[in-house]
Amino acid sequence: MADDAMNKLKKKRASVRTTITKTVKNIETEINKPEVSVDALEELLEHIKIYSEDLNAINTEIENAVDITELDNELKSATEYQDKIITWTFRAGKKIRELSKNNSTEISTTSKVAPEVLTQNFVQKKLMLNYRS
């Protein structure tokens, strides 16, 4: 492949990597917030997925065209970046699962407590009505 075409691919890859790095930083920021938004994390994960697919396609093009002497460095670089994507995708997914589990526990607890609270309120109101009569 001509040097010009290879340079274009590498610039394109650099641009996609920059976008992924920004998205990873947004995931990290969201995970560390006191009030984490599951919707925001899911949206960021979707972005990572799409950018990762783009990056993989570019990497494949580069790997197929690069000189054999440079292949090892290209593969190492691609693998390191893929590891970063996997790590943050996992962390975001884990946080989403934790939050979903907590929300389902809260809903379950609320639904169990609610009838007791309603019963107590009903009994108290009935007693007050009887007392006034």
Side-chain angles (χ1 to χ4, degrees):
M1 180 178 270
D3 285 341
D4 190 43
M6 181 60 76
N7 287 336
K8 275 184 168 180
L9 281 173
K10 287 185 177 183
K11 283 187 184 267
K12 188 174 179 182
R13 178 177 66 184
S15 176
V16 173
R17 283 182 172 180
T18 299
T19 302
I20 289 172
T21 298
K22 288 177 183 175
T23 305
V24 163
K25 286 181 181 179
N26 289 338
I27 289 172
E28 184 177 15
T29 299
E30 187 62 39
I31 286 174
N32 291 321
K33 284 182 177 178
E35 294 290 324
V36 178
S37 168
V38 171
D39 289 341
L41 283 178
E42 288 175 341
E43 182 179 329
L44 290 166
L45 282 176
E46 188 62 28
H47 285 257
I48 285 282
K49 177 184 168 192
I50 292 167
Y51 300 142
S52 181
E53 291 169 1
D54 291 345
L55 184 61
N56 287 336
I58 296 166
N59 282 335
T60 300
E61 284 186 65
I62 291 172
E63 290 164 14
N64 289 335
V66 76
D67 185 66
I68 193 77
T69 58
E70 295 178 40
L71 184 59
D72 190 42
N73 287 336
E74 289 298 330
L75 292 173
K76 184 184 279 188
S77 174
T79 301
E80 287 173 0
Y81 220 84
Q82 196 62 34
D83 286 346
K84 180 180 186 176
I85 293 168
I86 291 168
T87 297
W88 284 100
T89 300
F90 175 80
R91 289 179 183 173
K94 181 179 177 187
K95 190 66 167 181
I96 290 169
R97 287 187 300 277
E98 286 173 3
L99 293 169
S100 296
K101 183 178 177 183
N102 288 343
N103 285 341
S104 66
T105 302
E106 286 176 18
I107 291 168
S108 174
T109 303
T110 302
S111 65
K112 288 178 185 174
V113 172
E116 294 170 6
V117 171
L118 290 174
T119 303
Q120 284 179 330
N121 287 342
F122 177 75
V123 169
Q124 287 175 347
K125 286 180 182 177
K126 187 156 174 99
L127 286 172
M128 288 180 77
L129 286 174
N130 286 340
Y131 178 75
R132 289 182 186 163
S133 306

